[in-house]
Amino acid sequence: MSFFSLIQKKGSKPIPPAPNSIRKEIVYGVPPLKSSSTPSTFRPRPALPKAKAAAPKAGRPTTNGSLQKSARRRKQSPQTRLLSDSDSGEPDTATEAPRKRVKVVKETWPSVKRQLLCSVAFSDGDCVKFSMVHAADIASLDKTSKYRRAFPQELGNHVVELQYPSASQRETFDVVEPVQSDEYKPLDDIKETLEVIADYYLPVQDATYFKDDSNGLLRRLKRARDKRDGNLYISLIHEWNDAIDDRRRTGLIAQTLGKLASLDLRLIERILTQTYARTVSPRVSSLRQYENGTDNVYGELLPKFVSEIFRVTGLGPNHVFVDLGSGVGNVVLQAALEVGCESWGCEIMDNACVLAELQEQEFKARCRLWGLAIGDVNLQRGDFLENTTIQQVLRRADVILVNNQAFTPELNDHLTSHFLDVKEGCQIVSLKSFVPAGHKITPRNLNSAYNILGVVEKRYYSACVSWTDAPGSYYISRKDSLRLQAFMKHGVGS
């Protein structure tokens, strides 16, 4: 079971989604081809003048489905405004001349290449034992009420060690299976870990040995598990360990990792899931001890949504990221791993802080096993409105995340006033908009903090947050003091 499914349990009350409270960003462009149903946000182009009745001739169809006599006499279509979400940070404000549709080029993100390989973890000297939670610590035959032997007919030892890509210590697994299906499954963890290592750490020439559908090592492990042959399964794990050690010593693993421009979300989720399963999952019940109607309500943004936030805001390895109300630290850890940036979090709930600190320690050990370099992780306890360290960090932050879905209006107002001190261009991502719908700069509200924030509404899709599967909106506010300066100078505002 991944850590995402453990966050929301039966009996917990879902948090109502925030109402849409800000204008959508406006995108200029050519209209789409005519379809059976026209979206309500699309304004169709004016009808073209009717031509004299004549027999239709062969020609190229126009966007409204009619035939055009000659391409040379085709008129430019009027400018069309399309209301929708886009990936740009702010809406276009200038009217563009009619133009041909351009080819969309996929951008590389992050734009600054970061160091992925942890050189210390791949050195032969990295053989010192360090603190970590082994799989056998949370799932073993010692916990007889929860686990049983995975292979009843095995004759040998039921404990194995698993080698990760780096030269660091191996992880100990007890070859057991849970009595209840919702408990941690060690054999599934082994299977998914080996598959991720084979896909991202091993060179292409090893594909047949490890991943061949007929007789690859991963296939043979699956057959041994399906046949419940414990001795064969354990011997194949030993074969895996020898193969990984050999490829690490020859430098093949480091070379393969060095060719990656960024980390795939599947690899990121594997590390975060392992960390969560060994620290938070055994204590997850403590996260449901909160008081409804207060700011201290627990809910998480899931990794694919968080990754999209990083991409849309352009967060890079040289940036500073801050999560206000960071819970058990999932997003802070993901930013340090996925982007490699300086990552900060602040949480007021004591039970969440305890789990966040356990996660931080285990996360660093996990990244060492996987041989990955990460950004600085900094977790703070207390009220983020009063924590002096966080207040200083906010002044140099590039991206601030605030999961304010359940925050009271009073707390949101206090937060807005704190954004006066962030640097120009800083982006604040939130589940509720900090700027009221329809807000305009006027002579009567020149001192309002709303005037320095330009807000764009965006959409997230299903399975992006822990408290509901439904899609919803989120908001990116960018500090832009020029808006207020322009109004004060020319009387022009939004």
Side-chain angles (χ1 to χ4, degrees):
M1 175 180 291
S2 69
F3 75 85
F4 329 125
S5 56
L6 289 170
I7 295 172
Q8 182 73 17
K9 288 287 186 179
K10 293 182 179 179
S12 57
K13 297 182 179 180
I15 302 170
N20 294 342
S21 57
I22 199 70
R23 65 186 183 278
K24 291 182 179 291
E25 61 181 312
I26 300 175
V27 181
Y28 294 84
V30 297
L33 294 177
K34 183 179 179 181
S35 60
S36 57
S37 61
T38 304
S40 59
T41 55
F42 172 63
R43 302 176 185 177
R45 67 173 68 187
L48 297 176
K50 293 184 178 180
K52 295 181 179 180
K57 296 182 180 180
R60 194 176 291 178
T62 63
T63 56
N64 62 6
S66 62
L67 292 177
Q68 187 171 316
K69 288 185 177 182
S70 172
R72 289 178 298 178
R73 302 179 62 182
R74 182 171 54 193
K75 296 181 179 180
Q76 295 285 357
S77 59
Q79 180 70 19
T80 303
R81 301 182 72 201
L82 179 64
L83 297 178
S84 67
D85 294 331
S86 78
D87 292 333
S88 61
E90 295 182 356
D92 295 333
T93 56
T95 302
E96 298 180 0
R99 55 183 174 81
K100 296 181 180 179
R101 187 170 63 181
V102 297
K103 182 179 179 181
V104 178
V105 180
K106 185 176 180 181
E107 297 181 357
T108 301
W109 175 84
S111 57
V112 179
K113 183 174 175 59
R114 56 167 291 208
Q115 177 67 32
L116 294 177
L117 185 145
C118 176
S119 56
V120 175
F122 281 93
S123 65
D124 291 334
D126 190 34
C127 55
V128 179
K129 296 288 184 180
F130 52 83
S131 176
M132 60 174 281
V133 181
H134 291 263
D137 295 330
I138 60 172
S140 69
L141 290 179
D142 295 337
K143 300 175 174 61
T144 55
S145 62
K146 291 186 175 182
Y147 289 93
R148 60 196 175 202
R149 287 178 179 267
F151 304 110
Q153 302 302 322
E154 71 183 33
L155 301 177
N157 189 8
H158 57 83
V159 176
V160 295
E161 291 185 335
L162 184 67
Q163 181 63 51
Y164 282 78
S166 69
S168 301
Q169 65 191 33
R170 295 178 178 179
E171 181 173 15
T172 303
F173 285 81
D174 208 335
V175 186
V176 295
E177 62 184 11
V179 175
Q180 301 293 331
S181 60
D182 60 347
E183 295 289 347
Y184 167 71
K185 301 176 178 64
L187 297 192
D188 284 356
D189 191 355
I190 292 176
K191 171 182 176 294
E192 293 167 11
T193 297
L194 300 192
E195 290 174 348
V196 169
I197 293 174
D199 286 342
Y200 297 104
Y201 285 81
L202 299 176
V204 177
Q205 56 266 33
D206 275 336
T208 301
Y209 174 73
F210 287 99
K211 298 189 291 184
D212 182 72
D213 290 337
S214 299
N215 204 39
L217 180 54
L218 298 182
R219 182 65 176 176
R220 286 183 282 140
L221 269 167
K222 182 180 184 304
R223 282 200 294 260
R225 182 179 176 182
D226 292 343
K227 293 179 180 178
R228 302 184 71 79
D229 188 338
N231 289 327
L232 176 58
Y233 182 88
I234 292 174
S235 69
L236 291 173
I237 293 294
H238 293 160
E239 181 181 338
W240 163 274
N241 293 339
D242 293 340
I244 293 298
D245 280 337
D246 178 67
R247 284 152 181 80
R248 187 195 69 253
R249 293 191 187 98
T250 58
L252 290 177
I253 291 180
Q255 292 174 13
T256 304
L257 183 60
K259 294 177 182 178
L260 296 180
S262 60
L263 297 180
D264 190 81
L265 184 58
R266 179 169 164 239
L267 171 56
I268 294 167
E269 286 186 327
R270 180 94 295 268
I271 298 173
L272 296 178
T273 299
Q274 286 188 327
T275 303
Y276 192 97
R278 288 155 176 78
T279 54
V280 179
S281 292
R283 309 166 181 85
V284 72
S285 59
S286 66
L287 296 178
R288 294 192 292 275
Q289 299 171 3
Y290 58 79
E291 182 181 352
N292 285 325
T294 70
D295 299 311
N296 300 334
V297 178
Y298 184 77
E300 286 288 349
L301 310 185
L302 302 186
K304 72 173 184 178
F305 181 26
V306 173
S307 184
E308 175 67 7
I309 290 173
F310 295 161
R311 186 190 67 80
V312 171
T313 58
L315 187 66
N318 298 326
H319 291 158
V320 177
F321 172 79
V322 181
D323 184 2
L324 299 179
S326 52
V328 298
N330 290 338
V331 179
V332 178
L333 302 183
Q334 184 172 342
L337 175 59
E338 182 172 359
V339 182
C341 64
E342 180 184 343
S343 189
W344 289 78
C346 188
E347 176 57 48
I348 195 172
M349 296 170 62
D350 287 336
N351 49 2
C353 289
V354 171
L355 298 182
E357 290 161 2
L358 291 175
Q359 277 220 106
E360 178 185 3
Q361 181 179 358
E362 182 65 19
F363 170 75
K364 292 177 178 178
R366 291 279 138 192
C367 292
R368 188 169 174 179
L369 290 181
W370 288 86
L372 295 174
I374 58 174
D376 291 335
V377 176
N378 305 273
L379 296 174
Q380 294 284 311
R381 286 177 175 243
D383 188 338
F384 49 66
L385 295 177
E386 300 176 359
N387 186 297
T388 55
T389 300
I390 288 297
Q391 295 305 312
Q392 293 173 359
V393 174
L394 286 177
R395 295 175 183 272
R396 56 189 184 88
D398 298 283
V399 176
I400 301 170
L401 174 65
V402 187
N403 180 2
N404 62 341
Q405 179 73 25
F407 284 5
T408 60
E410 292 76 16
L411 179 56
N412 279 321
D413 288 341
H414 282 124
L415 262 175
T416 305
S417 64
H418 277 66
F419 296 150
L420 291 169
D421 296 326
V422 302
K423 67 182 183 182
E424 287 294 311
C426 175
Q427 298 176 82
I428 302 123
V429 183
S430 60
L431 273 291
K432 287 181 180 178
S433 176
F434 286 104
V435 180
H439 174 77
K440 294 181 180 296
I441 303 177
T442 68
R444 295 183 178 181
N445 65 10
L446 292 180
N447 293 326
S448 173
Y450 303 144
N451 296 333
I452 54 118
L453 296 177
V455 185
V456 173
E457 178 185 1
K458 292 185 174 291
R459 296 287 293 174
Y460 63 81
Y461 300 99
S462 60
C464 281
V465 296
S466 66
W467 55 88
T468 180
D469 285 334
S473 295
Y474 70 103
Y475 304 85
I476 300 180
S477 306
R478 183 190 296 270
K479 183 176 180 181
D480 181 9
S481 300
L482 294 178
R483 301 169 68 251
L484 180 59
Q485 296 174 15
F487 179 86
M488 297 179 66
K489 183 176 182 180
H490 304 293
V492 178
S494 60

